[in-house]
């Protein structure tokens, strides 16, 4: 039983920003049984739990190309634009991102502020 | 603009199926991630259309702001100068935001993998089309990822937000450290869904989690497997009485308390589990209390077993102490603040005993809400009343108000409603309108409705209690407990702050009992005791219950089980008792099953037993509907309700055979709840399996390879399809709640058979197949073999009057001593005023749902047959009694599920105690029913036949049961011939006994002076030396009643009767039909003779049997002979009973 514990915890993905925790089954760019699909970054991948098809996968997260922190693919934690950036790094280098992305982020910020107040 | 260009160039049409197929050949080949024809593939093309529309719109917008790109480039330059370059491309492209790429046929071809460039450039998709499609595919995949991930993120967020989440590690640690842990948390803390998951993810496997309700097992398994990301696996499963999703991979199993107890019966130590979680222990159900007791002993036996009790924050100490001070983890609930308003009902509006509830206090609250709260503020009302009658009274009044104001939709909620009607409370009301749900305490725990803001608590509950003296259930109204009161209040604060109106004073509240009375204190313990015995738990009186039931209650159950033959005199299980303990039904119904299988009457008995074990399929509300009751008429049998149920089931199976899913409509037209019929068919199957496993039924008929190969393949395909349908249904996400119409509920209960439900379901199944998937029908087809079922039904449909009589007798022997006698004045009373009496309860009436309520004449003694001999005494050959399944007192004591039976014949065949006077013209049965026979001659004949039949019946039963106990042993059973003969004898006796007699209840005074009592030497001198009915057993005087014990149930000449003094002189001349004997005999002597003297042929056969059996003893003498010491000759003689009589007679005449 104790062994089981270690086994399952050793393959757990944890987002360093939001703490999202979930077991993963593969790390890399070519998840098994995905045929012609290639990931453009090294990802933590699990089988898509919401699909009845066993061969569908779900990317949980990957590492930030700048700071190497492990982040989930959630909009609040990271974004992908040719590479993966964690939100902290995005904010640090915001000016280098195209205006489409900047505008989107600003809009999101406004919305979350409105939600809080 | 782009698309225009394309169209100019070639005839490419995105919406043409042909063009799409061509693209499918490139992107969705059978080895690609998405295959043509799959659900995802369909979704893709839907997405494609949307995406193209979106792109066109965006293209148009972006053409206006063309200068932005330059601006971007500038920004980029500026960034470069200030900070490090993170290497982003200059020009924005949405494509860069997608983190995957896909290799498809065109790319493979471009890479020159294969030489066959078969694409026809002129008609196939051009490069532009392929590029468009590829881009859309990438976006589709990305969209899909985002969708799934946001589901996951939402799930995790919700889990985190549960109050119990912060105790996650603590719980795991406690379970690791302690054998028993109590987790106490109020509604909404998430314990039921989370604790099993915490343990699962901490590495525990083989976890069982018990729930008091079947429905909770299913919904929890569904929820937890979803939350633990195992929706499509079987790591998390459930198991309830007839179904389950358990596989070898299952690590967490939700099951009912009762089922876990059954598992313990077979697997004493529950070796299959590592952790047992018992949920909702505070509800204190019978099974739960018992389960805790069993687990308590198990914990000490199995050091590796962990036990987790989960409870609301009610009486936690009790549970902790019961397990030697187990650690308690208390988790706060998640309830919004609830304002409590005490509004006691003013005295003038208090309901008096006989009157209906006054609706005014309830209406005032509705009005108050309408005044105080604007209709835009949502929030429904939940009103707790004690029972169905109260609900319909208040519903009626509220409906009038609702129709007037158009601001309310009134919905009743109780367990006798059809499931479709119950389901309505979850639907949503239109804006500006509130639901007013009027419920019994079913909404306190079993049914949880979100969106309730107002709770009205009447403070009353109807609870079942058991009167062990009258063997009667009683449904009485009580004040609720403080715990229930709080629970009801809590229902107002699940989704937001709420208000609870209590229709009693705060001082009343303070005077309430702290907790409800646990079930174990309220119900008959027969089944429980039987189960305890079969688990080998020793003396039930010394078992350590968490809250022991009264000793008298246990004693009553033990006595009852002894009476029923389930326990022997030492309190140990008999072979029939052992069998009964395996059956998940009442002892009474279990007995019927056993008897039915012994008498080759299995098919109808299985159906009746199943029907009597589930709620009646006849919906109360629709039986008042004239259309329904007319449609039901052909199903009714005036033999009794079990026969009506049998007819109904048979008819239903026939309809299913012919029309499959059409049975739903058939049921609706008759006001039948089809769910109950499905339950019956499942239960029936379980009974059959159980009887088989106890060798009471022959094994499965050799599943002959009926039909040719093609047919078999067809069936296999059919089954596969059904399995798929079932899986699809299980994985279907909860269909959206329907919006209620304002008119809902206005037409009241009558509409239960309306078509609204049908159309609703059809809408729900948006599957496109056009077919209305009835999941019950699918499960039914999977589980049952239709042709086998039809065959079984045919057997019980063409029942002859002989079979019917026998079936009645078996039912009656099962139901005994639950008998009632019609009141002598019933013939002069109105139909609705018919009165009956049981042994312990006088003045009971027939429940209005029974066939006899509408047709009581069939119970009357036919006028032409009856002869009035006194004011109350009617002589007839056709007296009848009722055997009933339940006696339940609500506002009146009601008998339900009754069968009518011929009185004298049945009594003599099933009663535990029959006492007679000297000439047997007066019989008293079970100390309360008196039979007076006109002709002593007839009386003797009847009694004697009954004795003989019963002896044989017992023998057959013993042999058959003994045989099944030894399972498959070579011991010869009862020969077919002997059985046929017995059946024939019983049926003849039931149908053709024509004896004139009176039947009445004894008065209290008569009962007091009933027996002679133990008497002087005089009576002892009359004891014959042998008792030929039970060779070897001596006729003994009865120590209390007096007279002589002839058999275990028959005591001769113990009734205080003036004629008794002359018993010795009551000899009359009689000639035996079987031998030459002709002499004056006393009744007893005559019976003795008859029992031993058989027709010549049979005598021989009997002797052969006996000889076979006694070969070992090497006695050459006929077993019927006994050593007889004659006091007169002072000699030991070896004689048969008849010879003894003859011998004695000689002396008598010689003396005289």
């Amino acid at each position: 039983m104790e062994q089981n514990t270690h086994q399952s915890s050793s393959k757990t993905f944890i987002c360093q920003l939001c703490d999202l925790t979930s077991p993963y089954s593969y790390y890399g760019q070519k998840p098994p049984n995905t045929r012609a699909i290639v990931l453009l970054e090294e990802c933590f991948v699990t089988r898509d739990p919401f699909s009845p098809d066993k061969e569908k996968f779900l990317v949980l997260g990957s590492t930030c190309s700048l700071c190497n922190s492990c982040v989930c693919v959630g909009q609040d934690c990271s974004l992908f634009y040719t590479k993966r950036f964690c939100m902290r790094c995005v904010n640090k280098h915001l000016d280098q991102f195209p205006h489409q992305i900047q505008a989107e982020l600003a809009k999101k910020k406004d919305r979350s502020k409105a939600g809080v107040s | 603009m782009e698309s225009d260009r394309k169209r100019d160039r070639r005839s490419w049409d995105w919406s043409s199926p042909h063009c799409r197929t061509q693209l499918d050949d490139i992107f969705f080949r059978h080895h690609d991630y998405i295959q043509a024809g799959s659900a995802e593939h369909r979704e893709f093309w839907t997405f494609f259309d949307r995406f193209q529309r979106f792109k066109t719109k965006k293209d148009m917008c972006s053409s206006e702001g063309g200068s932005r790109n330059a601006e971007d480039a500038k920004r980029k330059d500026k960034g470069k100068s200030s900070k490090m370059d993170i290497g982003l491309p200059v020009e924005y492209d949405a494509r860069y935001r997608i983190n995957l790429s896909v290799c498809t046929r065109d790319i493979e071809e471009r890479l020159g993998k294969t030489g066959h460039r078969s694409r026809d450039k002129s008609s196939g998709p051009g490069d532009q089309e392929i590029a468009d499609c590829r881009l859309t595919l990438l976006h589709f995949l990305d969209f899909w990822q985002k969708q799934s991930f946001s589901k996951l993120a939402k799930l995790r967020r919700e889990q985190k937000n549960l109050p119990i989440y912060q105790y996650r590690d603590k719980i795991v640690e406690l379970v690791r450290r302690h054998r028993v842990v109590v987790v106490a948390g109020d509604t909404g803390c998430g314990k039921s869904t989370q604790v099993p998951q915490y343990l699962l993810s901490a590495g525990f496997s083989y976890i069982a989690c018990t729930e008091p309700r079947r429905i909770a097992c299913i919904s929890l398994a569904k929820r937890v497997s979803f939350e633990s990301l195992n929706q499509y696996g079987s790591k998390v499963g459930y198991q309830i009485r007839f179904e389950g999703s358990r596989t070898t991979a299952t690590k967490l199993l939700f099951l009912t308390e009762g089922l876990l107890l059954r598992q313990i019966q077979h697997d004493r130590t529950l070796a299959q589990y590592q952790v047992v979680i018992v949920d909702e222990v505070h509800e204190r159900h019978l099974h739960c209390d018992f389960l805790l007791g069993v687990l308590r002993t198990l914990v000490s036996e199995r050091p590796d077993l962990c036990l987790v009790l989960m409870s609301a924050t009610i009486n936690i100490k009790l549970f902790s102490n019961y397990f030697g001070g187990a650690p308690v983890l208390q988790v706060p609930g998640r309830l919004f603040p609830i304002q409590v308003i005490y509004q006691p009902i003013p005295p003038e509006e208090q309901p008096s005993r006989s009157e209906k509830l006054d609706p005014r206090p309830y209406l005032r609250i509705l009005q108050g809400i309408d005044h105080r709260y604007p209709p835009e503020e949502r929030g429904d009302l939940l009103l707790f009343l004690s029972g169905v009658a109260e609900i319909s009274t208040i519903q009626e009044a509220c409906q009038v108000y609702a129709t007037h104001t158009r601001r309310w939709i009134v919905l009743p909620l109780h367990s006798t409603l059809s499931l479709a009607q119950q389901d309505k409370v979850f639907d949503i009301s239109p804006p500006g309108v509130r639901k007013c749900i009027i419920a019994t305490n079913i909404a306190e725990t079993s049914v949880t409705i979100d969106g309730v803001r107002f709770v009205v608590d009447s403070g009353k509950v109807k609870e079942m209690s058991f009167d062990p003296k009258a063997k009667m259930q009683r449904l009485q109204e009580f004040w609720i407990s403080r715990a229930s009161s709080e629970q009801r209040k809590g229902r107002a604060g699940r989704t937001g702050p709420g208000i609870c109106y209590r229709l009693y004073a705060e001082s009343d509240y303070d005077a309430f009992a702290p907790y409800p009375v646990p079930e174990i204190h309220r119900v008959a313990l027969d089944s429980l005791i039987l189960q305890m015995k079969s688990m080998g738990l020793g003396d039930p009186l010394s078992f350590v219950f968490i809250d022991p039931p009264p000793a008298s209650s246990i004693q009553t159950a033990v006595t009852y089980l002894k009476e029923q033959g389930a326990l022997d005199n030492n309190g140990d299980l008999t072979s029939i008792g052992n069998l009964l303990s395996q059956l998940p039904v009442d002892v009474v119904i279990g007995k019927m099953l056993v008897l039915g299988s012994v008498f080759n009457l299995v098919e109808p008995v299985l159906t009746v037993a199943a029907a009597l074990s589930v709620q009646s399929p006849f919906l109360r509300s629709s039986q008042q509907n004239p259309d329904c009751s007319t449609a039901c008429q052909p199903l009714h049998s005036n033999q009794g309700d079990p026969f009506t149920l049998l007819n109904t089931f048979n008819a239903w199976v026939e309809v299913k055979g012919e029309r499959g899913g059409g049975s739903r409509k058939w049921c609706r037209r008759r006001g039948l709840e089809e769910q109950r019929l499905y339950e019956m068919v499942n239960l029936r199957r379980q009974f059959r399996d159980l009887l088989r496993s106890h060798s009471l039924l022959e094994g499965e008929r050799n599943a002959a390879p009926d039909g040719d190969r093609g047919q078999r393949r067809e069936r296999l395909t059919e089954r596969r399809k059904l399995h798929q349908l079932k899986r699809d249904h299980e994985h279907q996400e909860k269909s959206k709640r329907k919006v209620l119409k304002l008119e809902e509920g206005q037409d009241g209960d009558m509409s239960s058979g309306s078509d609204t439900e049908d159309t609703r379901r059809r809408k729900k199944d948006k599957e496109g197949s056009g077919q209305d998937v009835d999941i019950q029908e699918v499960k039914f087809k999977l589980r049952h073999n239709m042709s086998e079922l039809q065959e079984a039904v045919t057997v019980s449909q063409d029942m002859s009057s002989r079979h019917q009589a026998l079936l009645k007798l078996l039912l009656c022997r099962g139901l005994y001593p639950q008998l009632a006698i019609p009141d002598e004045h019933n013939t002069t009373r109105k139909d609705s005023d018919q009165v009956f009496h049981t042994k312990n309860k006088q003045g009971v009436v027939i429940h209005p749902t029974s066939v006899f309520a509408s047709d009581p004449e069939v119970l009357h003694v036919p006028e032409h047959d009856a002869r009035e001999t006194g004011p109350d005494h009617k002589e007839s050959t056709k007296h009848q009694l009722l055997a009933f399944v339940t006696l339940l007192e609500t506002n009146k004591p009601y008998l339900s599920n009754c069968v009518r039976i011929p009185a004298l014949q049945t009594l003599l065949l099933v009663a535990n105690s029959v006492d007679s006077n000297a000439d047997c013209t007066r019989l008293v049965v079970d100390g309360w029913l008196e039979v007076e026979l006109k002709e002593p001659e007839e009386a003797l004949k009847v009694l004697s036949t009954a004795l003989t039949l019963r002896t044989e019946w017992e023998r057959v039963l013993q042999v058959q049961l003994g045989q099944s106990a030894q399972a498959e042993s070579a011991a010869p059973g009862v020969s077919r011939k002997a059985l046929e003969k017995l059946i024939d004898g019983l049926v003849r006796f039931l149908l053709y006994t024509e004896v004139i007699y009176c039947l009445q209840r004894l008065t209290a005074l008569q009962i007091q002076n009933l027996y002679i009592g133990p008497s002087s030497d005089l009576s002892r001198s009359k004891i014959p030396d042998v008792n030929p009915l039970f060779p070897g057993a001596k006729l003994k005087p009865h120590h209390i009643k007096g007279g002589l014990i002839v058999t275990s149930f028959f005591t001769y000449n113990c009734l205080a009767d003036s004629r008794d003094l002359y018993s010795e002189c009551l000899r009359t001349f009689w000639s035996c039909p079987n031998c030459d004997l002709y002499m004056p005999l006393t009744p007893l002597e005559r019976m003795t003779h008859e029992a031993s003297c058989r027709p010549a042929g049979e005598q021989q056969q009997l002797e052969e049997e006996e000889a076979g059996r006694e070969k070992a003893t090497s006695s050459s003498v006929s077993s019927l002979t006994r050593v007889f010491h004659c006091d007169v000759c002072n000699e030991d003689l070896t004689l048969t009973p008849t010879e003894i009589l003859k011998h004695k007679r000689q002396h008598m005449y010689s003396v005289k």
Side-chain angles (χ1 to χ4, degrees), chain A residues 1-2 4-6 8-9 13 18-23 32-41 43 46-62 65-66 72-76 79-85 89-105, chain B residues 29-35 40 58 68-69 71-72 75-76 78-80 82-104 108 141 144-149 151-153 155-156 160 165 176 200-205 226 229-233 251 274 731 733:
Chain A
M1 159 177 110
E2 291 295 312
N4 276 350
T5 318
H6 289 297
S8 55
S9 61
F13 166 82
C18 74
D19 265 353
L20 178 122
T21 312
S22 195
N33 301 322
T34 49
R35 328 277 168 113
I37 291 181
V38 179
L39 299 175
L40 302 178
E41 55 173 341
C43 290
T46 182
R47 155 179 161 14
D48 183 352
F50 307 108
S51 164
D53 187 343
K54 275 191 202 115
E55 307 200 332
K56 298 288 179 275
F57 69 94
L58 173 64
V59 173
L60 295 170
S62 64
S65 60
L66 295 179
C72 75
V73 298
Q75 286 183 16
D76 296 335
L79 74 79
F80 186 86
Y81 191 69
T82 68
K83 287 175 277 189
R84 178 70 54 187
F85 299 97
C89 291
V90 171
N91 285 325
K92 227 184 275 172
H93 304 282
L94 193 61
D95 51 350
Q96 292 188 41
F97 285 89
H99 77 270
Q100 284 91 339
I101 289 179
Q102 290 184 29
E104 227 172 85
L105 291 176
Chain B
R29 295 161 301 173
H30 70 275
H31 60 274
D32 276 321
Y33 188 60
I34 294 173
Q35 290 104 28
E40 292 87 4
K58 209 166 175 206
R68 280 271 177 93
N69 278 348
E71 217 173 283
D72 253 350
R75 199 176 289 249
K76 186 113 184 177
K78 210 169 81 191
K80 219 180 249 174
S82 63
K83 274 185 227 158
M84 80 177 228
D85 181 9
I86 57 173
L88 297 180
V90 177
E91 228 170 276
Y92 175 79
D93 192 332
R95 166 75 188 78
Y96 294 145
R97 307 186 65 165
I98 299 171
N99 70 341
L100 47 81
S101 88
V102 59
C103 178
T104 44
E108 283 170 14
L141 291 172
W144 188 356
Q145 286 290 320
K146 286 209 170 82
Q147 206 178 29
S148 278
F149 184 82
K151 261 193 210 171
L152 176 69
L155 186 65
R156 294 294 190 234
K160 244 184 194 175
Y165 184 76
R176 286 228 172 95
L200 197 61
S201 61
F204 290 96
S205 39
F226 174 74
L229 310 183
N230 205 262
Q231 192 181 351
Y232 296 96
K251 293 196 160 144
Q274 186 184 18
H731 294 143
E733 289 190 30

Side-chain angles (χ1 to χ4, degrees), chain B residues 214-247:
Chain B
R214 283 182 240 169
I215 189 90
C217 295
I218 301 175
S219 58
L220 277 172
K222 204 168 172 181
R223 181 69 202 168
V224 171
S225 59
F226 174 74
E227 282 194 23
S228 56
L229 310 183
N230 205 262
Q231 192 181 351
Y232 296 96
S234 58
K235 209 163 89 184
V236 181
Y238 71 90
Q239 205 177 353
I240 56 177
R241 189 142 88 165
F242 303 117
E243 47 186 303
S245 60
R246 187 187 199 179
T247 68

Side-chain angles (χ1 to χ4, degrees), chain B residues 877-1078:
Chain B
T877 59
K878 297 212 160 57
H879 289 287
Q880 294 184 92
L881 293 174
L882 279 183
F884 58 89
V885 179
T886 40
L887 169 54
L888 169 68
E889 188 175 81
T890 52
N891 55 345
K892 281 181 204 164
Y894 285 111
L895 299 176
S896 352
N897 283 328
C898 310
V899 199
R900 62 187 169 100
I901 49 170
L904 178 67
Q905 296 91 315
T906 317
L907 284 176
L908 289 179
L909 289 177
V910 304
N912 270 348
S913 151
V914 177
D915 304 316
S916 81
N917 64 355
D919 64 356
C920 300
T921 52
R922 182 166 172 251
L923 303 172
V924 170
V925 181
D926 292 331
W928 74 289
L929 288 174
E930 184 187 53
V931 176
E932 277 181 301
L933 296 117
K934 191 88 169 143
E935 295 293 327
E937 184 68 13
E938 283 181 345
L940 275 179
K941 204 171 141 226
V942 157
L943 193 58
S944 168
T945 315
L947 290 187
T948 319
L949 284 170
R950 271 185 85 158
T951 314
E952 178 63 4
W953 189 352
E954 279 320 306
R955 191 181 73 82
V956 166
L957 212 53
Q958 284 312 316
V959 172
Q960 297 285 74
L961 289 177
Q963 200 189 5
S964 75
Q966 293 159 12
E968 321 277 324
S969 81
V974 177
S975 70
R976 205 181 167 72
K977 221 165 130 196
L979 191 63
E980 294 279 311
K981 193 165 162 295
L982 171 62
I983 291 174
D984 189 60
L986 289 171
V987 169
R988 240 169 228 288
F989 184 68
L990 287 167
L991 291 179
Y992 308 122
T993 304
E994 294 260 335
V995 192
I996 296 173
Y997 63 99
C998 303
L999 177 70
Q1000 60 264 326
R1001 278 178 307 140
L1002 291 173
T1003 62
L1005 193 70
Q1006 280 174 310
I1007 290 171
Q1008 263 179 23
N1009 304 311
L1010 194 55
Y1011 298 114
I1012 310 169
S1015 60
S1016 53
D1017 297 336
L1018 186 96
S1019 66
R1020 201 159 292 154
S1021 68
K1022 293 187 294 193
I1023 304 171
D1025 297 77
V1026 287
N1027 174 6
L1029 290 175
F1030 293 93
K1034 294 233 164 179
L1035 273 190
K1036 281 184 295 194
H1038 197 289
H1039 293 303
I1040 300 158
K1041 297 176 181 175
L1044 294 169
I1045 304 172
V1046 179
T1047 69
S1048 58
F1049 59 89
F1050 177 50
T1051 311
Y1052 170 70
N1053 199 17
C1054 62
L1055 294 179
D1057 187 306
S1058 52
R1059 276 170 285 188
D1060 168 55
L1061 296 172
Y1062 315 108
S1063 68
E1064 273 300 294
C1065 319
L1066 275 172
R1067 291 211 163 73
T1068 46
F1069 272 94
W1070 178 73
S1071 57
C1072 175
N1074 298 330
C1075 63
D1076 313 333
L1077 186 76
Y1078 176 76

Side-chain angles (χ1 to χ4, degrees), chain B residues 705-717:
Chain B
D706 41 347
D708 56 42
R709 214 141 143 234
Q711 279 176 319
R712 249 178 299 158
R713 194 173 317 129
E714 208 171 280
R715 249 197 319 267
L716 210 69
T717 328

Side-chain angles (χ1 to χ4, degrees), chain B residues 280-292:
Chain B
E280 316 278 14
V281 287
H282 63 277
E283 290 191 15
R284 305 295 309 278
H285 294 283
L286 178 68
H287 278 146
C288 184
D289 270 16
F290 178 41
L291 182 63
L292 289 180

Side-chain angles (χ1 to χ4, degrees), chain B residues 360-418:
Chain B
R360 281 177 293 177
Y362 302 90
L363 288 172
R364 270 203 300 276
I365 290 173
L366 260 67
Q367 273 170 337
I369 291 170
D370 283 342
H371 279 300
R372 231 160 294 148
Y373 305 95
E376 311 78 68
E377 277 183 28
R378 295 205 75 117
D380 301 320
L381 177 133
L382 177 60
L383 202 161
F384 285 99
L385 291 175
S386 62
V388 178
E390 288 77 5
I391 288 177
S392 47
T393 308
I394 300 303
Q395 185 193 354
E396 221 170 90
C398 288
Q399 190 54 57
V400 173
Y401 179 75
T403 313
H404 176 68
T405 59
R406 302 185 64 79
R407 281 170 76 169
W408 295 89
I409 289 174
V410 185
L411 299 169
L413 175 63
H414 48 83
S415 59
T416 56
L417 287 176
S418 74

Side-chain angles (χ1 to χ4, degrees), chain B residues 649-670:
Chain B
F649 181 83
N650 290 344
W652 179 71
V653 169
E654 214 170 275
V655 169
K656 275 205 103 57
E658 283 164 16
R659 286 181 256 168
S663 62
R664 190 152 79 189
K665 201 170 165 198
W666 183 87
C667 285
R668 207 166 29 234
R669 192 159 292 157
R670 283 158 187 76

